[in-house]
Amino acid sequence: MAGGRAGRFDALRDGGDDMRRGDEHGHHGDEGVRRGEPGAFAELAEAHRHELQVHCYRMLGSYTDAEDMVQETMLRAWRRRETFEGRSTLRAWLYRIATNACLDLLSGPARSREIATDVQEGPASGARSPFAEVPWLQPYPDRLLDLAAPAEGRPEALTVERETIELAYLAAIQHLPPRQRAVLILRDVAGWPAEETADALELSVPAVKSALQRARATLRLHLPARRAQWGPATAPTGEERAVLRRYMEASVDGDLSALATLLREDARQTMPPASAVYDGRAAILDMWRPVLTGPQAWGDWKALPTRANRQPAVANYVRRPGHPRYTAVNIDVLRVEDGLIAEITTFGPGLHAAFGLPAEL
């Protein structure tokens, strides 16, 4: 899906006599966009690509879908370039297009985004995990969040801060109806005024205010109870990095005792898109035991540190018996509270390349 769209838009961005002629004439401003000059459009639109992808990621909860939708946004913007009249910024115009592209995807018959209601809990499970209820959830590499970060002091800085990009927040907002989700993101994350949000979504201002009120109430029901105590850091703290190092060492060594000391008693592990929830330290260790130790152990392990959603993460690799190389297995994203691991969200190996990580070692 992304490949075809990428090819069509990249032709505007990367080559072609028309684009070069536009560059030679120096038309790089908004006027050049309105005149339909490929060089001006591609250059200015590309400057917003990374933050638009983060915006689409919040709307959809999926890194791969966000890649597709930001490409769709660029194509729609190019086809509708004559509608950009310069009354708003190009950035706001692109956000409007991106938001509606995501809403179209969410309302389309090709992709069902219903929250799972038949979650299968693991041993010793308690309350449902929002991660297990959102099987399409994927992590977002911090290295790409850094590219989306605005200049220091800009009002849109919140768009890449931890409290609006961490996995708990992403999973929680997926419980909102799509239009409420769009209102919440535009108002509380992008910082748009109610009037501009209403115009972008073709709603009345009272409808926007009502949707925002309902969205905030629903969001509070699905966020972790202790979330208000978390710091608004834009990167893992020193304590979190230390916990990550110990977690990696214990995992590679197959040291279940050391792993036990790192887990809160009420820790939880989920593995989107699988619906199983391992609730409690004992349940997590029981799940790990045959994988790491004993005759059924998978093999030798290696781990590489990384970061996702402004949280510490680790990419795990295993070398199976008789195999010469280590193969990517998964990415664990950790939530650390008071020096202990409170939540592990484990994702499959499909996104290692997005994190700049190899498929084999």
Side-chain angles (χ1 to χ4, degrees), residues 93-332:
W93 183 68
L94 290 170
Y95 262 74
R96 174 176 181 160
I97 295 172
T99 303
N100 283 286
C102 292
L103 289 173
D104 289 345
L105 177 67
L106 291 169
S107 65
R111 174 61 65 95
S112 174
R113 282 301 173 88
E114 295 296 325
I115 296 295
T117 58
D118 59 345
V119 176
Q120 300 296 313
E121 305 288 344
S125 66
R128 274 200 183 98
S129 165
F131 302 114
E133 296 171 353
V134 185
W136 58 87
L137 185 69
Q138 293 178 328
Y140 201 97
D142 271 23
R143 72 188 190 96
L144 299 183
L145 288 176
D146 292 340
L147 295 176
E152 187 175 354
R154 293 270 299 275
E156 64 268 25
L158 188 63
T159 60
V160 293
E161 283 189 357
R162 180 169 182 168
E163 60 186 303
T164 65
I165 201 64
E166 65 201 359
L167 286 175
Y169 182 87
L170 263 294
I173 63 175
Q174 299 303 303
H175 289 75
L176 301 176
R179 203 159 292 273
Q180 281 188 29
R181 194 184 314 166
V183 168
L184 180 85
I185 292 169
L186 290 176
R187 294 282 284 118
D188 284 358
V189 178
W192 284 26
E195 294 79 6
E196 192 171 351
T197 302
D199 182 60
L201 300 177
E202 298 182 350
L203 297 171
S204 67
V205 171
V208 164
K209 292 180 177 178
S210 176
L212 181 60
Q213 185 177 23
R214 295 196 305 274
R216 286 171 174 170
T218 301
L219 191 63
R220 285 193 292 271
L221 297 176
H222 293 283
L223 288 171
R226 292 183 294 270
R227 185 175 183 270
Q229 302 171 15
W230 303 355
T234 56
T237 65
E239 179 183 64
E240 288 173 325
R241 292 193 297 271
V243 171
L244 179 67
R245 285 193 298 271
R246 292 169 59 199
Y247 177 79
M248 291 168 56
E249 292 168 0
S251 298
V252 169
D253 294 341
D255 189 341
L256 292 176
S257 296
L259 287 167
T261 65
L262 291 170
L263 296 170
R264 287 175 57 106
E265 186 176 358
D266 61 350
R268 172 178 286 163
Q269 184 167 6
T270 50
M271 302 177 182
S275 59
V277 179
Y278 297 90
D279 213 355
R281 180 195 298 143
I284 294 172
L285 293 175
D286 286 345
M287 184 267 293
W288 285 352
R289 188 169 288 108
V291 174
L292 297 178
T293 65
Q296 301 300 316
W298 286 13
D300 298 326
W301 291 81
K302 281 190 177 181
L304 298 178
T306 187
R307 298 183 302 162
N309 300 76
R310 302 306 192 195
Q311 297 172 249
V314 55
N316 297 301
Y317 296 77
V318 68
R319 185 178 63 189
R320 306 275 185 170
H323 288 254
R325 298 178 66 84
Y326 290 83
T327 302
V329 174
N330 54 42
I331 293 175
D332 290 334

